[in-house]
Amino acid sequence: MTEDALERAVLRRFLLGLAECLNAAAESVERIREIMMDVSRAYGRTDTDIVVLPTVILVETGTGGEDRVALRSALTASFRFDQIAALYRLVEEARRGAVDPLEGIRRLNEIGAMRPRNGWLVRTFGHAVLTTALALLLAPTWQGALVAFVLGAFIGVAKLVRSPTLQLVFPVFAAFACALAVFLIAPYVAIGDPIRLLIAPLATFLPGGALTTATVELAAGQMIAGASRLVFGLVQLALLAFGILAAGTVVGVDSSSYVPLEASGAFPWWTAIIGVFLFAVGNHLHFSAPPSTFGWVLLAVFVAYAGQSLGNALIGSTVSGFVGALAMTPVVLWIASLRGGVPAQLTFLPAFWILVPGAAGLVGLTQAVGADQGLEDFVTALTSVMSIALGVLIGTALYRVVHQGAEGLAEFHIDVPAGLTEEVEPPFWARLVPGTPRSIWRRRRAADGSRTGRTPAASGPSSQAGKS
């Protein structure tokens, strides 16, 4: 293998690793491909093509008969916030060509093997705080918040078990266990709406980010990636709803218990502010986020919640997420562009969860099946999810137009292998200009050099070195 071929092979492996890690960081496929093309150009490779799907990544380098393709299955796991922060630091270096690809591969392996910044006790407490914050926003009663804290701690401990086999069935088990506890407690404790209270401990299982990313990818023309993520998100919702319905069957819950109750209004208005603050704290502790990111995450979460509240007051709850996402997205992208900012994913994901697109879908699906209300509620829930995705899409487009300008449409073009490309004869006027391909002046200088017994290169530094 030649040195150039070896360099291309290392770069292909580095690009595959970067794309795989960005997939684990919940980045959209369109954005991943954009980053990978920037990295490839930074290393002087303009002959690279990349195909990114949620579970498969392909990288091609070279042209003509020298092209090579590398393939890799993407990670099914997800990165913590500290891993995402380290990954995007490496991405920024790679986009400048400031890190050797072989060194980049080593750093990617280190990121994948990173131990959490916070111990298991702190992460469990963070999950309990996160759950309590959502309970304050969704089912506002003190008793419900206490139940949510206990259930959140239970789920936080159970999530510490890292087993691929158990991770497949754990969402169903978690939904069943939490629903069983809530349905048994509900007749004796004023916990508020039992279904919305269940959303709080199950928040980190809700595929709100997957459903939102799927809608954005579909709107951007990424049909395979968007459709697969959409189906994955709906299946996750169905599994969670199955766990809730199974617990209701065991306890003997009446179908009317699956219908959300009106908020009791036991909390004052400022409780929502405390809930949003605790939600940011819980995310920071549970996902081991770097200390410098907390203020930015808190800002993004507050903007998202304020926008959603404004939308709810102006246009109703169904599409209130559109206003929240539209307000939050430019703020997130602005934070990422600052010198002391943080990667967009660290602020996007908590803001997604505070908008609770997956929670609306879970409530709608549970009502549709358990309360025999048909698919109307579920369609309404999907409309709320799409409104959030549309807000993200429009907010991103507006930010890029303001800061980067509009881009032209890409033209359709297919390169012919180099060996089959016919050389185009330049026009006669171009041959009269010195320095152009096939210039007649170049031929005349070559002829003069042959008559004097030397070539044009003979006057260069190499010839002087030869004389000496």
Side-chain angles (χ1 to χ4, degrees):
M1 180 180 293
T2 63
E3 183 177 353
D4 184 63
L6 182 61
E7 290 179 357
R8 288 202 303 267
V10 173
L11 181 60
R12 283 195 301 271
R13 186 61 56 183
F14 181 45
L15 292 175
L16 284 174
L18 276 178
E20 184 180 6
C21 290
L22 287 169
N23 245 331
E27 188 66 86
S28 66
V29 295
E30 184 70 18
R31 179 64 176 160
I32 293 175
R33 188 180 186 278
E34 178 184 341
I35 293 174
M36 294 301 97
M37 296 303 293
D38 289 345
V39 172
S40 179
R41 286 190 290 267
Y43 289 95
R45 296 293 180 181
T46 59
D47 56 354
T48 302
D49 196 10
I50 298 169
V51 175
V52 182
L53 296 175
T55 56
V56 178
I57 302 162
L58 295 94
V59 176
E60 179 189 31
T61 58
T63 57
E66 298 181 355
D67 52 337
R68 294 292 184 272
V69 177
L71 178 147
R72 186 174 178 87
S73 298
L75 285 172
T76 57
S78 58
F79 275 178
R80 301 181 309 273
F81 286 179
D82 55 343
Q83 291 174 301
I84 294 177
L87 171 64
Y88 276 85
R89 284 195 295 268
L90 176 59
V91 166
E92 289 305 314
E93 294 181 27
R95 296 179 81 169
R96 302 192 307 268
V99 59
D100 183 74
L102 194 59
E103 173 66 15
I105 294 174
R106 184 189 65 79
R107 288 176 59 179
L108 286 175
N109 291 331
E110 291 180 352
I111 292 172
M114 280 179 62
R115 297 180 63 85
R117 291 184 59 258
N118 300 327
W120 69 269
L121 187 60
V122 175
R123 284 184 287 143
T124 301
F125 177 75
H127 193 274
V129 172
L130 183 155
T131 301
T132 305
L134 283 180
L136 294 176
L137 299 174
L138 296 173
T141 67
W142 295 112
Q143 297 90 334
L146 180 60
V147 172
F149 182 87
V150 176
L151 293 177
F154 165 72
I155 298 299
V157 171
K159 288 181 67 175
L160 297 176
V161 179
R162 308 295 293 177
S163 171
T165 304
L166 294 178
Q167 286 180 352
L168 297 176
V169 298
F170 186 64
V172 181
F173 167 76
F176 177 82
C178 292
L180 192 65
V182 169
F183 290 151
L184 289 175
I185 295 173
Y188 309 102
V189 181
I191 59 174
D193 181 3
I195 294 297
R196 291 197 176 274
L197 180 60
L198 281 174
I199 301 303
L202 301 177
T204 53
F205 295 112
L206 295 172
L211 292 175
T212 305
T213 303
T215 309
V216 171
E217 288 174 341
L218 287 172
Q222 296 291 338
M223 293 172 287
I224 297 178
S228 60
R229 286 192 206 272
L230 183 63
V231 172
F232 172 77
L234 294 178
V235 170
Q236 287 293 105
L237 287 179
L239 292 176
L240 292 172
F242 174 80
I244 295 175
L245 295 173
T249 303
V250 171
V251 177
V253 174
D254 185 76
S255 61
S256 61
S257 298
Y258 295 113
V259 180
L261 306 176
E262 293 295 331
S264 60
F267 286 169
W269 64 269
W270 46 263
T271 306
I273 300 177
I274 297 178
V276 173
F277 177 79
L278 291 178
F279 182 79
V281 172
N283 275 277
H284 185 78
L285 297 178
H286 179 64
F287 293 101
S288 298
S292 60
T293 65
F294 176 75
W296 297 120
V297 171
L298 183 62
L299 174 62
V301 169
F302 263 114
V303 170
Y305 186 77
Q308 187 181 41
S309 300
L310 180 62
N312 187 28
L314 296 178
I315 56 179
S317 59
T318 303
V319 293
S320 61
F322 170 80
V323 180
L326 186 62
M328 170 267 297
T329 302
V331 174
V332 166
L333 297 177
W334 169 72
I335 293 172
S337 67
L338 297 177
R339 183 182 298 273
V342 298
Q345 289 302 96
L346 293 186
T347 49
F348 256 124
L349 295 178
F352 279 156
W353 292 329
I354 201 69
L355 295 176
V356 201
L362 180 58
V363 171
L365 182 58
T366 305
Q367 293 174 30
V369 179
D372 298 327
Q373 294 188 7
L375 296 178
E376 182 179 354
D377 293 318
F378 188 55
V379 172
T380 302
L382 287 183
T383 302
S384 67
V385 173
M386 295 182 64
S387 70
I388 294 173
L390 184 61
V392 173
L393 190 64
I394 294 177
T396 303
L398 291 176
Y399 180 86
R400 290 185 177 181
V401 167
V402 171
H403 287 78
Q404 301 176 8
E407 297 180 358
L409 294 176
E411 297 181 358
F412 182 81
H413 179 72
I414 300 177
D415 292 328
V416 178
L420 302 178
T421 304
E422 296 182 0
E423 188 175 359
V424 179
E425 184 72 19
F428 179 75
W429 64 266
R431 298 177 63 187
L432 298 177
V433 180
T436 58
R438 297 195 177 187
S439 172
I440 61 176
W441 300 101
R442 180 180 300 178
R443 293 181 180 180
R444 180 171 299 179
R445 285 196 302 270
D448 293 342
S450 62
R451 284 195 299 267
T452 58
R454 57 187 179 93
T455 62
S459 60
S462 58
S463 63
Q464 297 296 331
K467 292 180 180 180
S468 60

